[in-house]
Amino acid sequence: MTTVQTRLQFNVMKKRLHGSKLNPGKENAICGNKRSSALNACVEHGRKFCENKHQSKCKNYLPKQILLLDDGSDGDSEIEGEMENASSPPKCSKTVTEDCNAVERTGITSPPTPSCLITQLRLSVPCNSAVTHNRKHLPPKQLFMSESAYQEVRQALQGCAPTSLPGREVHLDKLHSFLQDHLTAGSSGTLYVSGPPGTGKTACLSKIMELPEFKNGYKIININCTSIKSSGSIYARIAQELALKVSKQTEKNYLASVERYLTSNHKMILLVLDEIDQLDSRKQSVLYTVFEWPSTHNSKLVLIGIANALDLTDRILPRLQARLDLRPELLHFAPYTKLEIVGILSERLMQSGVSAMFPPAALELLAGKVASTCGDVRRALDIGRRVVELAEAQKCKQTMPLQATVDHAANTSSPRKSPMKNPDVGSVALKEVMAVLNGVYGASQSLVTDGDESFPLQQKVLISTLLLMLKKSQNKDITVGKLHEVYCRVCKKKNILAVDQAEFLSLCQLVETRGILKVQGRKEARLSRVCLQWDEEEVCAALKDKQLLASILNDASCLS
Amino acid sequence: QVTNWTPVTSKTPKLEVTPQASTTPVPKKGSAQRALLTPSIPTRASPISTPGSVLEEARARLHVAAVPKSLPCREKEFNNIYHFVEGKILDGTGGCMYISGVPGTGKTATVQEVVRSLQEAVSQRNIPDFQFVELNGMWLTEPRQAYVQLLNALTGQTVTAEQAQQLLERRFSRTAHRRITTLLLVDELDLLWTRRQDVVYNLLDWPTKTSSCLVVLTIANTMDLPERLLMGRVTSRLGLTRVTFHPYTHKQLQEIVIARLKGLQAFDSDAIQLVARKVAAVSGDARRALDICRRATELAEGDTEDSDGTVTMQHVDQALGEMIASAKVQAIRYCSKMEQLFLQAVAAEIQRTGVEETIFENVYIQLKTLCVFDGHTVPSVTDSLGLCARLGSCRLLLTEHSRADVYQRILLNVSCDDIYYALKV
């Protein structure tokens, strides 16, 4: 009995969604007749839609939808009373209107959404258990997945697990041939993979390791060196991965057992050490030990080390160059170029069918900017996601302007869920891309672009005083004490109440958090040095208060 | 067992006592580790008295700990963070966000408000459920303890840092069937910094895994912390989603105080404005403004006879004088005559040489001159060393250890102007 009860409650909730969907604005004025007719229309609609899209990718949830629709075409009047006084959650109403509209326009950018169809669930007792089974196991996520094309784009630009790696074919080939050669010959080898962050090193390797021939041919040990406590405990970790039994748990014992295993008869081992520069220790003994393993007699070990530094093996492991059999092969991942980043982004967008969102010009702008600074694809994806989020927020603002509410409850329902939202999804504009890029690449600009005057006056005076001392004073060695003295004189001239010394130090630290200056040597507060971190022009631009700055800078009499 | 025990029958009391001492605490500790017992503190005997007068009510509302239902003047940041987290929860993916701003600008309060709003949305079934875990760099004795705390919050078991790290690694890299999003708030991120930066790396690397469903919000003060402190690969993982909280302007501070005092006629509106302007000029710290208002309320409560139960300009002025006080001038003023002369001597010596640092020997010569000039008896070297040590202990001077005797170096810890100001005025 209890199970029936719970199911009933579930359905009532669904009915609520359904009711609100039909009449987004006026829930009170639902009359049974009208509603049922509208419902039938909607059912028809859904069916047509299903038939149209039968070959498309939505087919996995089609069968059960049809089942549900067929089985519940009657008995919607039973719960009318409950429905009418139930106010609907705003979100569901929005999705439904949006979906219907999207279908009508046939500009199908988003796949058919389960929430469109699932809202037509009936309260009536299901005739067979299969249906209930299906209904129970609908993952809760899918009810909400149908937000908009924005969400699709966001998911497409998610930073993780690329299925394909455009622009990295050469490296993949090289890795493949390296591993293949060693596998067929049964010989050991060392490869050092380098490249700046976000260039697909780990992704390439994990893709290669997924291949069946290597998965079966090698015993793969994949360790991220940041996950171990200290460099010495890498042996314990390897021993654990090899499932070795060690009597006394010391570093020495682990090393001995690993080496014993390596010299014994075993399968080919592929040891992948990610972020290998974490293993540095005094005299680099750990790294030397690890890199020497492949050269020991009859060890069938292929070692692949990954790190950021281009010349790690040459710089900190010079002894490896001495012997030919120890010298690792090098593979460098260059930063992505502009074309490659464009390729990656557009392919990801293409795969999820939302390439219309990003116009090519915006994509090129983004890629060019990223490629010119770091060539980090993670960064490019992040900026892309940010742009989409910004565009979505803009859209929300257009449909329903945000107002500052003191009411707590009003804050909870986000404006994105407003029922009158325009379901038509536009593409992102160049303007938004520029806004995100500016926010990212100009620390000082982010201060400038912020409209309101959120730079406290005393901090402005402090920075102006520092500039004055740097420009006019002979002694460029500025301590906090000296700065405070000059600052007090400036304040006296300007009729500003000067803060005292202890407060002044905290003022310096507040400015320091903006990155404008740096206070060095914290032992004695008064004697710590103050250095300007930014360019003077940049600081002037950030201050904006040209008048104050000019008047302080012109008055060199404050200096002595 | 203790009640049964009598000194006559038992010849070996040790045997009775030892099992209690050795065995009983162990299961208790073990059960505490498995989180079967919730830690509790003793309750108070009598209930707290509810605030009676208007001023008491105002004082209670102005307390920093009384987080209001909504945060005025932070709507933009609220929406920014809310949309980010909501989007991640709806998508079922992970991500990182970096939130920065100077102290007292409402960073943590806004994030907690976001979490509360999201939990409300969950209870209304608007978004899927999620799990919220909070970490603070200040709570941890050591950065690696972050793993222990995180695992404890997720599963309730307490293990060592290394084990916790492995368990978490396994949890986040393995695909689970019905995993809900974990929202992790890391406050004071800069305290998790280590030389290897492995803790920060791991915390930011887990969200990049497909199956982790981990959203990490990191909070720190410094605007450019990722560029300044963190390695390239950590910065790359932290991403570019950043929110900066700017210091409050005087209008915003005024609004905050008024919002707290809504419906109470306790404050003069000019008084609030004075506080807001003073604080906004220096730091824009909301905590500070609230503290000054509280202090003004206390002062107003103190003198009930000549006021009409509201906080006026005088009280605020007095509170500001206490809060933004320059204690050093006062200290110089209350020094003994010889100490004042000694300070003057140091200042004169600095002026003569033009170097900040002097030796006691030279100061003593100046002191002798000053004493002769003013007609005081010249103190002996030993007495002067005593003076110097006293001034050093109240940090008006910075002195070396007195072992160096007359050759000890002396630095002035107040500006010369302060000394003149204190002694002339």
Side-chain angles (χ1 to χ4, degrees), chain B residues 321-385:
Chain B
E322 280 178 18
M323 285 265 182
I324 311 175
S326 96
K328 281 195 173 153
V329 174
Q330 295 288 332
I332 295 170
R333 230 171 251 173
Y334 288 117
C335 279
S336 72
K337 189 70 202 166
M338 267 307 147
E339 284 166 354
Q340 289 177 350
L341 275 177
F342 193 89
L343 282 175
Q344 272 178 313
V346 175
E349 183 62 25
I350 286 171
Q351 211 151 40
R352 190 180 69 85
T353 56
V355 185
E356 291 262 309
E357 203 177 73
T358 59
I359 301 177
F360 178 81
E361 218 178 0
N362 301 339
V363 176
Y364 185 65
I365 296 170
Q366 289 281 351
L367 181 67
K368 268 200 289 191
T369 320
L370 281 174
C371 283
V372 170
F373 200 77
D374 286 2
H376 297 292
T377 39
V378 180
S380 67
V381 175
T382 320
D383 283 347
S384 313
L385 279 171

Side-chain angles (χ1 to χ4, degrees), chain A residues 202-274:
Chain A
T202 312
C204 273
L205 263 176
S206 50
K207 189 171 160 63
I208 281 286
M209 282 190 295
E210 284 299 307
L211 294 178
E213 67 241 50
F214 297 134
K215 220 171 181 179
N216 300 329
Y218 284 105
K219 180 177 176 59
I220 296 178
I221 304 173
N222 192 356
I223 297 175
N224 192 330
C225 294
T226 49
S227 67
I228 56 171
K229 197 167 137 198
S230 64
S231 54
S233 49
I234 184 76
Y235 305 130
R237 188 67 191 277
I238 294 172
Q240 187 195 336
E241 296 278 337
L242 288 171
L244 300 179
K245 282 204 173 62
V246 180
S247 55
K248 262 165 66 180
Q249 302 197 334
T250 59
E251 194 178 305
K252 221 173 183 175
N253 284 25
Y254 280 121
L255 174 60
S257 63
V258 169
E259 283 182 340
R260 208 178 313 127
Y261 181 80
L262 287 178
T263 50
S264 70
N265 197 12
H266 61 267
K267 203 179 173 184
M268 281 293 282
I269 297 177
L270 174 59
L271 177 60
V272 178
L273 297 176
D274 208 341

Side-chain angles (χ1 to χ4, degrees), chain B residues 120-386:
Chain B
E120 210 158 291
V122 167
S123 66
Q124 288 172 2
R125 312 262 182 128
N126 284 344
I127 56 171
D129 199 5
F130 70 97
Q131 197 173 9
F132 175 60
V133 182
E134 193 177 0
L135 278 186
N136 191 324
M138 278 283 190
W139 297 344
L140 309 170
T141 53
E142 202 233 349
R144 292 175 58 81
Q145 290 294 316
Y147 301 134
V148 180
Q149 295 272 333
L150 180 56
L151 187 74
N152 191 14
L154 287 176
T155 60
Q157 52 182 333
T158 306
V159 293
T160 62
E162 208 165 342
Q163 276 177 306
Q165 203 263 340
Q166 279 181 16
L167 287 173
L168 286 170
E169 183 93 45
R170 208 172 302 154
R171 180 187 166 97
F172 288 125
S173 52
R174 205 179 46 198
T175 47
H177 180 47
R178 297 163 68 88
R179 169 167 295 164
I180 59 172
T181 304
T182 310
L183 177 61
L184 173 65
L185 169 63
V186 183
D187 215 337
E188 316 281 359
L189 179 73
D190 42 349
L191 292 175
L192 291 182
W193 187 87
T194 53
R195 204 177 56 78
R196 289 174 65 213
Q197 307 194 2
D198 51 343
V199 178
V200 190
Y201 177 91
N202 278 321
L203 284 182
L204 297 177
D205 191 38
W206 289 328
T208 60
K209 291 186 171 134
T210 326
S211 52
S212 65
C213 284
L214 180 67
V215 183
V216 182
L217 301 177
T218 53
I219 300 182
N221 286 347
T222 327
M223 210 183 263
D224 53 350
L225 181 89
E227 282 76 25
R228 194 194 287 184
L229 212 58
L230 301 178
M231 286 183 199
R233 53 173 177 251
V234 181
T235 309
S236 170
R237 281 175 176 77
L238 182 54
L240 295 163
T241 319
R242 296 185 188 172
V243 176
T244 308
F245 282 68
H246 291 285
Y248 288 110
T249 63
H250 69 90
K251 276 184 196 145
Q252 290 173 331
L253 284 176
Q254 215 173 328
E255 203 176 311
I256 288 169
V257 176
I258 289 173
R260 290 222 175 190
L261 293 173
K262 205 165 74 180
L264 281 181
Q265 292 297 320
F267 259 83
D268 203 358
S269 68
D270 285 345
I272 296 176
Q273 194 175 2
L274 179 66
V275 172
R277 281 189 184 269
K278 283 274 183 194
V279 173
V282 177
S283 57
D285 186 340
R287 275 185 215 131
R288 183 145 209 185
L290 291 173
D291 277 344
I292 293 176
C293 286
R294 251 171 70 86
R295 180 67 194 138
T297 321
E298 281 168 9
L299 289 171
E301 275 180 297
D303 54 4
T304 43
E305 64 269 11
D306 59 290
S307 72
D308 52 340
T310 59
V311 184
T312 55
M313 281 292 248
Q314 285 88 35
H315 300 128
V316 166
D317 205 34
Q318 202 180 338
L320 279 170
E322 280 178 18
M323 285 265 182
I324 311 175
S326 96
K328 281 195 173 153
V329 174
Q330 295 288 332
I332 295 170
R333 230 171 251 173
Y334 288 117
C335 279
S336 72
K337 189 70 202 166
M338 267 307 147
E339 284 166 354
Q340 289 177 350
L341 275 177
F342 193 89
L343 282 175
Q344 272 178 313
V346 175
E349 183 62 25
I350 286 171
Q351 211 151 40
R352 190 180 69 85
T353 56
V355 185
E356 291 262 309
E357 203 177 73
T358 59
I359 301 177
F360 178 81
E361 218 178 0
N362 301 339
V363 176
Y364 185 65
I365 296 170
Q366 289 281 351
L367 181 67
K368 268 200 289 191
T369 320
L370 281 174
C371 283
V372 170
F373 200 77
D374 286 2
H376 297 292
T377 39
V378 180
S380 67
V381 175
T382 320
D383 283 347
S384 313
L385 279 171

Side-chain angles (χ1 to χ4, degrees), chain A residues 268-331:
Chain A
M268 281 293 282
I269 297 177
L270 174 59
L271 177 60
V272 178
L273 297 176
D274 208 341
E275 314 289 4
I276 201 169
D277 53 346
Q278 292 273 342
L279 287 185
D280 68 338
S281 54
R282 222 158 46 84
K283 295 187 190 166
Q284 312 297 350
S285 55
V286 177
L287 275 177
Y288 272 123
T289 315
V290 170
F291 272 99
E292 277 165 12
W293 278 342
S295 69
T296 49
H297 183 63
N298 71 29
S299 77
K300 290 186 284 185
L301 172 74
V302 175
L303 173 71
I304 299 183
I306 309 176
N308 293 136
L310 177 62
D311 54 348
L312 180 102
T313 50
D314 302 344
R315 189 160 39 86
I316 66 174
L317 304 172
R319 272 198 280 142
L320 287 186
Q321 303 299 320
R323 275 167 56 191
L324 201 62
D325 54 341
L326 284 179
R327 195 178 296 166
E329 280 186 56
L330 301 179
L331 177 61

Side-chain angles (χ1 to χ4, degrees), chain A residues 13 89-92 137 140-141 144-145 147 151 154-155 158-161 197-198 202 224-231 233 237 240 274-275 277-278 280 307-308 376 378-379 382-383 385-386 389 393 396 402-409 411-417 440-441 443 446-447 450 452-459 482 484-485 488-489 497 499-501 503 507 510 512-518 523-524 526-527 534, chain B residues 69-71 75-76 78-80 82-84 86-95 97 102-103 113 116-117 120-121 124-128 144 147 162 165-166 169-170 178 195-198 201-202 205 207-210 221-224 227-228 231-233 235-243 246-247 249-250 252 259 262 278 280-284 288 323-328 356 395 398 411-418:
Chain A
M13 198 189 76
K91 164 177 172 124
C92 307
H137 280 266
K141 205 174 75 181
F144 306 99
M145 279 247 303
E147 272 305 301
Q151 194 175 8
R154 261 188 284 141
Q155 255 163 1
Q158 191 54 239
C160 48
T202 312
N224 192 330
C225 294
T226 49
S227 67
I228 56 171
K229 197 167 137 198
S230 64
S231 54
S233 49
R237 188 67 191 277
Q240 187 195 336
D274 208 341
E275 314 289 4
D277 53 346
Q278 292 273 342
D280 68 338
N308 293 136
D376 183 345
R378 255 189 228 125
R379 186 168 271 219
D382 209 26
I383 295 176
R385 240 182 3 251
R386 215 48 210 150
E389 278 170 18
C396 290
L402 277 180
Q403 57 253 22
T405 51
V406 191
D407 185 18
H408 175 52
N411 267 344
T412 57
S413 68
S414 75
R416 203 196 294 163
K417 292 174 186 151
V440 167
Y441 286 108
S446 66
L447 277 182
D450 221 55
D452 51 1
E453 22 143 337
S454 56
F455 213 142
L457 176 73
Q458 300 275 10
Q459 297 183 14
K482 270 185 193 164
H484 183 233
E485 273 173 40
C488 284
R489 274 181 226 126
L497 190 69
V499 298
D500 90 314
Q501 208 181 329
E503 184 76 41
L507 208 61
L510 286 183
E512 196 181 1
T513 60
R514 288 177 187 255
I516 299 176
L517 53 81
K518 197 171 184 183
K523 220 170 178 187
E524 285 300 338
R526 214 174 129 73
L527 301 178
W534 285 4
Chain B
K69 273 191 182 153
S70 74
L71 294 163
E75 285 83 15
K76 207 177 98 195
F78 176 89
N79 278 319
N80 209 333
Y82 186 90
H83 283 163
F84 176 80
E86 190 200 27
K88 295 288 175 209
I89 291 175
L90 288 175
D91 294 358
T93 55
M97 183 180 232
V102 293
E113 172 81 11
R116 225 176 310 139
S117 305
E120 210 158 291
Q124 288 172 2
R125 312 262 182 128
N126 284 344
I127 56 171
R144 292 175 58 81
Y147 301 134
E162 208 165 342
Q165 203 263 340
Q166 279 181 16
E169 183 93 45
R170 208 172 302 154
R178 297 163 68 88
R195 204 177 56 78
R196 289 174 65 213
Q197 307 194 2
D198 51 343
Y201 177 91
N202 278 321
D205 191 38
T208 60
K209 291 186 171 134
T210 326
N221 286 347
T222 327
M223 210 183 263
D224 53 350
E227 282 76 25
R228 194 194 287 184
M231 286 183 199
R233 53 173 177 251
T235 309
S236 170
R237 281 175 176 77
L238 182 54
L240 295 163
T241 319
R242 296 185 188 172
V243 176
H246 291 285
T249 63
H250 69 90
Q252 290 173 331
K262 205 165 74 180
K278 283 274 183 194
V282 177
S283 57
R288 183 145 209 185
M323 285 265 182
I324 311 175
S326 96
K328 281 195 173 153
E356 291 262 309
R395 305 290 284 174
L398 300 178
L411 274 167
L412 202 57
N413 201 23
V414 288
S415 68
C416 292
D417 298 344
D418 276 353

